[in-house]
Amino acid sequence: MNEAPRVAIDAIVPSFAVGGSERVVLALLGSLPSDSFDIRLLVLNPSGPLAEAASRFPNRVHIGAKRLRYGLTKVISTIRDRRPDYLFCSQVHLNIAMLAAFPFLSGTRLVMREANMPSLCLNGGHWPSWYGWAYRRLLPRAHGVIATSNAMAAEFERDFRIPKDRISTIPNPVDRKMLRTQASPVRRYPGPGRRFVAVGRLVYQKGFDRLVPLMRECDLADRLTVVGAGPEHDNLVELVSSSSLTQRVEFLGFDPVPWALMAGADALLMPSRWEGMPNAALEALACGTPVIASATSGGLPEVAATASPGAVTIAANDTSFVAAMRSLQIRQTDEPRPSLLPAQFEMELASQAFQTLFTISDRR
């Protein structure tokens, strides 16, 4: 008996930078069984800390372009040469480009994953009117659209007129066991007071500048550690200095394994201006650390509804956020507390949903 042919998937990633979207893409693709799926990575710029994690995919094509516009022709020709069953990508600029190129990709189905809430990220990024117009016009071409929360799925159906049967809600997967192993023993800034941590790229989207006035309203013994690198670093350091908070707010830079620090904190702070389903928050919950987040932090209000009481607090960026910070009890243990992560974010469940998406015959 002849074995069924493997499903061929081309997946595009911009680089191996440690971004939430890149990590989720590699995790989901890596969860697909190799005896059923033939995966090829198309990487624009093959540099970054995730290059080692991507080594599990031996079939890789390095496009050799720092930006998509410089490598788009090669991307299209590379896909056309192989004619995979599916093309998969996960960032708005990649999604729009591949949807626009759809007429040149005969025989290949397009599956798009959105990493951020469209209503927020399209308005907050560069050229919001153009991106919004392009997404609304082109997204209906996709055979499958992956949302990371029910709220995002509802936006796709309501605002982009995507048929409900083409939308799949797949939460970001979290390897809880691995995180907790690496989170012990915990790391904690010494001394009295509460310890807060914020993790992510230092960019406008993440809203770390919002934390500075909030820290001024907290107890003098409270400390904030910011983990991450990015173009806003110098501006944030200057803001902290001008606010006389240099002794209470610390910038650690990029850390590929921040989970021990998360586990040692009294809370992870998530003041984002827009998100999809922020991995840092999910990882903190897996480490047993509660999260205080802005209402614009993507799908976290849904997580708050399913997690145990107090695991996720949604607060406006004002006195209510400060009140949530001040109400925290100071941790008393050197080991990670029990996981607060709801079951739907376990790797196995997300992998099953992702695999099903690529084994159906058609979504149209």
Side-chain angles (χ1 to χ4, degrees):
M1 179 181 296
N2 293 329
E3 295 184 359
R6 293 191 298 170
V7 177
I9 301 175
D10 274 5
I12 307 176
V13 293
S15 71
F16 293 135
V18 186
S21 179
E22 288 86 353
R23 289 172 58 192
V24 169
V25 166
L26 293 179
L28 289 172
L29 292 171
S31 73
L32 297 178
S34 59
D35 58 346
S36 299
F37 295 89
D38 181 10
I39 299 168
R40 182 176 70 166
L41 291 184
L42 277 59
V43 187
L44 297 181
N45 178 15
S47 62
L50 288 178
E52 183 176 351
S55 63
R56 75 178 82 173
F57 305 101
N59 192 2
R60 299 193 300 274
V61 177
H62 296 166
I63 302 301
K66 290 186 177 181
R67 297 187 180 278
L68 178 61
R69 61 177 176 265
Y70 303 131
L72 183 58
T73 300
K74 184 175 179 179
V75 167
I76 294 174
S77 63
T78 300
I79 297 170
R80 282 172 56 87
D81 288 344
R82 188 191 190 203
R83 293 196 176 185
D85 299 301
Y86 290 96
L87 173 65
F88 174 59
C89 52
S90 178
Q91 293 189 10
V92 63
H93 67 290
L94 292 176
N95 293 349
I96 289 176
M98 293 301 99
L99 289 164
F102 178 74
F104 304 100
L105 305 177
S106 177
T108 296
R109 301 182 180 99
L110 275 62
V111 174
M112 307 294 166
R113 174 185 173 274
E114 180 50 64
N116 295 293
M117 290 291 289
S119 61
L120 297 174
C121 75
L122 292 176
N123 292 327
H126 299 295
W127 306 303
S129 298
W130 185 87
Y131 269 116
W133 174 85
Y135 227 25
R136 287 178 177 84
R137 185 174 182 86
L138 297 176
L139 196 58
R141 292 180 174 182
H143 291 75
V145 176
I146 298 175
T148 59
S149 66
N150 293 327
M152 185 186 293
E155 280 196 9
F156 280 133
E157 185 178 2
R158 180 188 65 243
D159 300 337
F160 296 87
R161 292 179 290 183
I162 307 300
K164 194 171 184 177
D165 64 348
R166 284 197 229 163
I167 303 172
S168 299
T169 301
I170 303 179
N172 291 358
V174 177
D175 190 340
R176 180 173 54 84
K177 183 177 180 180
M178 181 276 292
L179 292 183
R180 292 186 63 81
T181 297
Q182 298 205 25
S184 182
V186 304
R187 292 169 54 196
R188 184 177 175 87
Y189 196 96
R194 300 175 183 84
R195 298 295 178 259
F196 305 113
V197 63
V199 179
R201 292 191 66 225
L202 305 186
V203 293
Y204 175 78
Q205 172 195 353
K206 299 300 181 181
F208 292 146
D209 56 296
R210 294 173 163 181
L211 295 179
V212 174
L214 301 181
M215 284 298 298
R216 296 187 65 178
E217 300 299 320
C218 290
D219 296 344
L220 292 177
D222 295 345
R223 299 288 185 272
L224 167 65
T225 300
V226 181
V227 182
E232 288 296 311
H233 175 270
D234 292 347
N235 291 336
L236 290 169
V237 170
E238 174 60 29
L239 179 61
V240 167
S241 176
S242 64
S243 301
S244 301
L245 289 172
T246 304
Q247 300 302 315
R248 297 175 55 202
V249 179
E250 178 185 23
F251 293 88
L252 284 190
F254 169 72
D255 185 348
V257 286
W259 306 303
L261 192 62
M262 286 182 177
D266 296 302
L268 177 122
L269 307 182
M270 179 72 57
S272 300
R273 291 180 168 90
W274 68 85
E275 289 284 356
M277 184 61 73
N279 289 319
L282 302 180
E283 292 170 356
L285 293 174
C287 293
T289 299
V291 174
I292 304 174
S294 62
T296 50
S297 292
L300 285 184
E302 293 179 22
V303 181
T306 59
S308 58
V312 179
T313 301
I314 305 299
N317 292 291
D318 53 18
T319 55
S320 60
F321 206 108
V322 174
M325 295 166 66
R326 293 175 63 95
S327 69
L328 290 167
Q329 292 186 346
I330 299 175
R331 61 173 294 122
Q332 303 293 334
T333 176
D334 292 332
E335 294 298 322
R337 291 162 290 189
S339 174
L340 299 171
L341 186 71
Q344 67 263 33
F345 295 96
E346 297 288 349
M347 177 68 74
E348 294 78 8
L349 294 179
S351 176
Q352 291 172 9
F354 190 64
Q355 181 173 340
T356 300
L357 180 63
F358 290 99
T359 53
I360 56 177
S361 60
D362 206 323
R363 280 197 166 258
R364 288 195 165 178

